[in-house]
Amino acid sequence: MLFAISSVHLLNDAMQTVVTALFPIFEQSLKLTYGQIGWIAFTLNMTSSIMQPVVGAMSDRWPRPWMLPAGMLCSMAGMAGLAVAPNYALLLLSVVFVGLGSAVFHPEGSRVVHMAAGNRRAFAQSIYQVGGNFGQSLGPIMTAAIFIPLGQRGAAWGMLLAAIAIAVLFKVVPWYAARLAEHGGKAPKKQAGASNRNVGSIANNKVVAIALSILLLVVFARSWYGAAIGSFYQFYARDSYALTIQSAQVLLFLFMIFGVLGTFFGGILADRIGRKKMMLISILGAAPFALILPHLPLGWAYPVIALLGFILQSGFSVSVVYAQELMPGKVGTASGLITGLAFGMGALGSVILGNVADAQGMEFVMLLASFLPLFGLLALWLPKDRKETQ
């Protein structure tokens, strides 16, 4: 069941990546500026982020397995709109549908993972996130193989992704409903003693609120940097290294595919050394590579961006589990906050960075973004988790 919901996560995030993969196509076909491209990324992430905590809080009280295929149908409608949108306004409306579909899927998907995880929750969350990250890594491949040859209408292939996801969910939904029925139609909650062991030194609501604020800021900085790489690095590589957009996809693919590996191994390591340590290793370990990336010749950019993706993404699934342990019994809300609200805050980065690029150039944007991982120093003030208190 864990692999099934992870495969749906792959397909869901691949549909989201269709939007960013089409950026070079939209730039040419609709004559968009970097600022307008930033607004597309903002619309996608903000729609998803605003709704994810809302959907998560609702599903904590009233879990609804049917919401999973309903979210996929919403994304399918967005894919159809992307393929035929004749102007910027309808393009943004289509992106809203894709964002809504993702907002519905993520909290409910995280709940399925939580039910199937047993005692290895960081590992289980990593399996789930590997699916999503692998789906995102398909963006450069889709750009090079589908969208550059076929143009905007190639987005119609995204409808096939939604159809496959719905087919898989026909297996997941009955299992999910059966698990809920075992608990009287409510989401299962951990026992109080287990909750206390997992949160370690976290003693009261005030400390939890401070910890969540720090965690959101750390994830916010990471998502701003991810927006800089995912949305704009292909344009930077085109301009700085005289590459075609198709060739620039190789660098972007390396960042994303090594991020998939980092997510997987980060979850395994976090179960052994603790969530907080893994998050510190992730974002602070990535900082030196982020700082030197804009100054490298092309030959060195390939291995460095691969290492950067591996280290940076190794802590993301761990952040979700840490938030869930801060908020025992509120799996949907915690997941919605980290994968939703924090990325919505990061969506502001796409708008700001896009407009800065229009005014100051893409090279300036990459230099500015390279300092963002240093915000990981804030994680030093996070409370200790279970592994550190044993």
Side-chain angles (χ1 to χ4, degrees):
M1 196 53 57
L2 186 59
F3 281 104
I5 197 65
S6 179
S7 68
V8 178
H9 196 193
L10 184 157
L11 294 163
N12 176 83
D13 282 25
M15 283 186 283
Q16 283 192 279
T17 304
V18 167
V19 179
T20 54
L22 281 165
F23 283 170
I25 309 303
F26 293 145
E27 183 201 26
Q28 295 179 6
S29 63
L30 299 179
K31 308 300 180 186
L32 302 184
T33 65
Y34 290 134
Q36 288 175 312
I37 289 173
W39 276 108
I40 296 174
F42 174 85
T43 301
L44 176 65
N45 291 322
M46 187 57 73
T47 303
S48 175
S49 72
I50 289 174
M51 293 303 298
Q52 273 195 50
V54 175
V55 173
M58 290 176 60
S59 65
D60 281 334
R61 298 187 64 182
W62 307 289
R64 293 293 182 267
W66 57 263
M67 290 176 66
L68 287 166
M72 290 299 111
L73 285 172
C74 191
S75 294
M76 181 184 285
M79 289 294 104
L82 286 175
V84 299
N87 55 53
Y88 187 60
L90 289 177
L91 182 63
L92 288 177
L93 180 61
S94 301
V95 169
V96 167
F97 276 91
V98 178
L100 285 175
S102 181
V104 171
F105 169 75
H106 278 105
E108 289 292 335
S110 290
R111 186 180 306 288
V112 174
V113 173
H114 190 74
M115 289 179 174
N119 293 323
R120 301 186 66 188
R121 273 187 270 136
F123 175 70
Q125 188 68 34
S126 291
I127 293 292
Y128 178 60
Q129 290 300 146
V130 159
N133 287 1
F134 188 77
Q136 293 173 21
S137 73
L138 295 177
I141 296 175
M142 289 189 290
T143 300
I146 299 175
F147 302 132
I148 289 179
L150 298 181
Q152 185 177 339
R153 294 190 182 278
W157 283 98
M159 298 172 67
L160 179 61
L161 300 176
I164 296 172
I166 291 170
V168 175
L169 287 172
F170 281 137
K171 296 292 185 181
V172 174
V173 168
W175 182 89
Y176 181 15
R179 300 291 82 73
L180 289 175
E182 292 174 2
H183 297 270
K186 298 292 184 181
K189 296 183 179 181
K190 294 172 56 183
Q191 295 179 353
S195 297
N196 290 334
R197 286 194 299 272
N198 281 338
V199 296
S201 65
I202 301 166
N204 53 55
N205 291 335
K206 183 178 180 180
V207 175
V208 170
I210 293 172
L212 275 175
S213 299
I214 294 172
L215 185 61
L216 287 171
L217 286 171
V218 171
V219 177
F220 161 66
R222 181 168 52 206
S223 61
W224 265 56
Y225 187 72
I229 298 295
S231 298
F232 300 116
Y233 190 76
Q234 57 191 320
F235 301 112
Y236 170 81
R238 179 192 64 186
D239 298 340
S240 298
Y241 301 125
L243 299 176
T244 65
I245 283 293
Q246 212 160 9
S247 299
Q249 302 308 308
V250 176
L251 287 159
L252 198 54
F253 177 73
L254 286 172
F255 177 79
M256 292 180 174
I257 198 65
F258 275 85
V260 173
L261 296 174
T263 299
F264 179 76
F265 287 106
I268 295 175
L269 190 57
D271 279 330
R272 296 183 179 182
I273 68 172
R275 327 298 191 210
K276 178 181 174 180
K277 287 180 180 177
M278 191 64 241
M279 286 187 287
L280 283 169
I281 290 171
S282 170
I283 194 160
L284 289 181
F289 297 101
L291 288 168
I292 66 172
L293 182 62
H295 307 283
L296 295 173
L298 179 60
W300 278 101
Y302 291 103
V304 167
I305 201 169
L307 279 171
L308 176 58
F310 182 90
I311 298 171
L312 188 68
Q313 292 301 325
S314 65
F316 177 70
S317 63
V318 183
S319 304
V320 178
V321 174
Y322 187 89
Q324 290 172 350
E325 292 179 349
L326 283 171
M327 305 173 68
K330 297 181 179 179
V331 176
T333 304
S335 302
L337 279 171
I338 299 303
T339 60
L341 181 59
F343 275 96
M345 293 165 65
L348 290 172
S350 296
V351 176
I352 293 172
L353 294 174
N355 282 285
V356 171
D358 284 332
Q360 301 292 332
M362 192 57 68
E363 184 177 358
F364 179 81
V365 164
M366 286 299 145
L367 288 170
L368 186 66
S370 68
F371 291 91
L372 287 170
L374 292 175
F375 277 85
L377 287 168
L378 293 171
L380 291 168
W381 283 272
L382 285 170
K384 294 180 180 179
D385 58 38
R386 171 173 52 84
K387 284 288 182 183
E388 293 182 296
T389 57
Q390 288 180 339

